[in-house]
């Protein structure tokens, strides 16, 4: 047998919009809101004070003996305040917080109200019946950007849209605290006008119901409405604390309802919301398109409570990519002619169609809290391989997805001035090299180590270009990064900055001397950008040199930990690599 709470959660999740809730004063007690009866008793005490009499210990009995009739909400207000404005001001003190009360969290929406609002926003709850006069539920729903339809009078029923078209609807069967037509006394609570009776009959017939904080003792008209409903279309769940009243037991039996003992309304509704959310997360389909995946990423990135969902989303897509990379058609190590290389590049790019924009989004918008996630992702894809041996060109090309991710995420992080993620992608990601060693990503995942330049020229139709793969990556990544760098000049600037810094860091880590005393590093299309003559200055080289001189130890790449955080080491690496860069080609 399923736990009743689990059964309720499954029912609400599986029947979206079918369940409504009925809440009584118990749900607002945590907010410090008085019940309608408590308000009535306090108003009688005020009348007694004005009459210079003592109404204790039974204010209602005193009023009946004094005035010969039962106390009514409207007549009490008329006795205490003569104008509408005065009556409203008096009532606000019961239901609206003072500054001190607000600071204490009193008379503001409780955790239960907030959880209900979230279930409403997600479409799981549509109709809310309440016996309360306060506006806690309306406020909680409005706070998340939804304007509920509120029905508390006959006129509002007549002017309301049908429930199926109305969205979130709150039915205040006993009225609103700013309307003097409140129902409070036993006589007033014995029944409703015909329009409200008809509306309640419809709700109890067409919707499942979750009851919380309502004893069923006093609201006779509401109790009768539940008991006269003949149908059992959807289940009723009745929550209670400690004991059930006899009236509640009678309704539960009549409606074959499930009873759930709870500690309080806050924990119950938060538990319900969490269980429905868990079912939603587990059952949600994989994003149908890159745009949906990116939109989901953005939502998770700004919500600290969504860290686990973010990791699950990224992990699921990463594993799909890794599995696709070693499926038949990419696993075999066959003769690497140009047609085979083109087929594989096209296939790898298709496999990354969702993960690449997700990774770019994460590296642009992410902070240090999610940095580890991007490092793990790139390591997983960059090290994806099988045990098949053969042609080296085919083995090297298996790093192409890692190369695309490193370029896309690295350029995105620079566009956001996020040097911590940029540095982590280049140095904290560890990739197995051909020699069996584990090295930093910038030492392994560079174009010339993934695709030989001689092959890249034919593969990407780049003629005699020296950096054919770099040229292709520049064009291939443009649309993925357009959202973050719409201006072409900005994209060129960040792309070249990425490649030059990539080379500097590589040179610093390898310190591989070439003729002339320079440190070798992979060349990118930044070397030729905008140049007419070979002796023309390289724009990005001068820019980085100027940054180093002006910012010194405050240079962001240094503060992010590159070059060991040493200004002198950064200058040495630049001098050594620039020497290599300026050698004739």
């Amino acid at each position: 047998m399923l736990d009743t709470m689990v059964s309720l959660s499954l029912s609400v999740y599986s029947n979206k919009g079918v369940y409504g809730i009925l809440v009584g004063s118990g749900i607002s007690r945590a907010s410090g809101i008085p019940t309608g009866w408590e308000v009535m008793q306090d108003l009688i005490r005020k009348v007694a004070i004005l009459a210079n009499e003592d109404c204790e210990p039974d204010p209602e009995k005193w009023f009946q003996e004094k005035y010969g009739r039962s106390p009514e909400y409207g007549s009490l207000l008329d006795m205490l305040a003569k104008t509408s404005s005065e009556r409203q001001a008096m009532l606000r003190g019961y239901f609206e917080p003072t500054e001190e009360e607000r600071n204490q969290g009193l008379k503001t929406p409780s955790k239960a109200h907030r959880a209900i609002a979230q279930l409403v926003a997600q479409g799981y709850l549509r109709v809310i019946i309440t016996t309360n006069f306060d506006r806690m539920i309306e406020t909680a729903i409005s706070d998340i950007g939804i304007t509920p339809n509120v029905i508390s009078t006959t006129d509002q029923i007549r002017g309301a849209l049908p429930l199926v078209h109305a969205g979130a609807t709150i039915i205040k069967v006993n009225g609103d605290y700013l309307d003097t037509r409140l129902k409070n006394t036993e006589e007033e609570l014995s029944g409703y006008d015909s329009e409200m009776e008809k509306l309640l009959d419809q709700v109890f017939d067409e919707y499942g119901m979750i009851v919380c904080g309502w004893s069923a003792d006093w609201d006779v008209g509401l109790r009768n409405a539940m008991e006269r409903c003949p149908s059992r279309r959807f289940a009723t769940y009745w929550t209670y604390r400690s004991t059930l009243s006899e009236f509640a037991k009678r309704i539960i039996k009549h409606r074959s309802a499930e009873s759930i003992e709870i500690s309080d309304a806050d924990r119950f509704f938060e538990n319900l919301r969490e269980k429905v959310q868990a079912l939603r997360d587990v059952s949600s389909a994989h994003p149908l398109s890159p745009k949906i995946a990116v939109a989901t990423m953005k939502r998770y990135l700004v919500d600290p409570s969504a860290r686990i969902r973010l990791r699950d989303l990224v992990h699921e897509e990463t594993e799909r990519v890794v599995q696709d990379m070693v499926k038949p058609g990419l696993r075999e190590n066959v003769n690497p002619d140009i047609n085979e290389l083109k087929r594989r590049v096209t296939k790898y790019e298709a496999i990354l169609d969702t993960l690449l924009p997700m990774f770019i989004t994460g590296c642009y918008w992410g902070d240090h809290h999610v940095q580890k996630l991007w490092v793990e992702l790139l390591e997983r894809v960059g090290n994806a391989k099988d045990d098949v041996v053969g042609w080296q060109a085919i083995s090297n090309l298996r790093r192409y997805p890692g190369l695309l991710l490193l370029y896309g995420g690295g350029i995105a992080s620079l566009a956001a001035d996020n040097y911590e993620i940029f540095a982590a992608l280049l140095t904290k990601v560890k990739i197995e090299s051909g020699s069996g060693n584990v090295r930093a990503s910038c030492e392994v995942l560079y174009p010339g180590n993934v695709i030989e330049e001689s092959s890249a020229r034919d593969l990407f139709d780049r003629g005699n270009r020296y950096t054919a793969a770099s040229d292709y990556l520049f064009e291939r990544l443009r649309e993925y990064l357009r959202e973050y760098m719409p201006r072409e000049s900005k994209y060129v600037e960040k792309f070249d900055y990425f490649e030059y810094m990539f080379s500097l860091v590589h040179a610093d880590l390898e310190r591989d001397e070439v003729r002339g005393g320079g440190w070798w590093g992979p060349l990118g299309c930044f070397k030729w950008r905008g140049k007419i003559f070979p002796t023309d200055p390289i724009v990005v080289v001068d820019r980085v040199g100027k940054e180093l001189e002006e910012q010194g130890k405050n240079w962001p790449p240094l503060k992010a930990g590159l070059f060991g955080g040493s200004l002198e080491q950064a200058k040495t690496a630049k001098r050594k690599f620039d020497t290599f860069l300026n050698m004739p080609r």
Side-chain angles (χ1 to χ4, degrees), residues 84-98:
S84 174
S85 296
E86 290 174 343
R87 286 191 290 270
Q88 289 184 0
M90 179 180 296
L91 291 174
R92 284 194 176 95
Y94 293 107
F95 298 100
E96 297 180 11
T98 62

Side-chain angles (χ1 to χ4, degrees), residues 47 50 62-63 66-67 69 74-82 87:
V47 171
L50 293 176
W62 172 86
F63 188 92
K66 175 73 174 178
Y67 296 100
R69 55 188 171 88
S75 61
L76 284 171
L77 288 175
D78 286 340
M79 296 175 71
L80 295 168
K82 300 305 180 184
R87 286 191 290 270

Side-chain angles (χ1 to χ4, degrees), residues 442-443 446 502-511 520-522:
C442 69
E443 296 178 275
Y446 57 90
F502 184 109
S503 300
L504 274 186
V505 176
H506 176 104
D508 181 55
L509 293 175
E510 293 279 316
R511 303 186 183 184
W520 187 90

Side-chain angles (χ1 to χ4, degrees), residues 60 71 73 85 107 139 285 361 378 487 510 536 546 548 554 564:
E60 183 184 9
Y73 196 79
S85 296
K107 296 181 183 176
T139 301
T361 300
L378 188 52
R487 286 193 297 116
E510 293 279 316
D536 288 345
K546 185 177 180 180
L548 264 175
N554 292 320

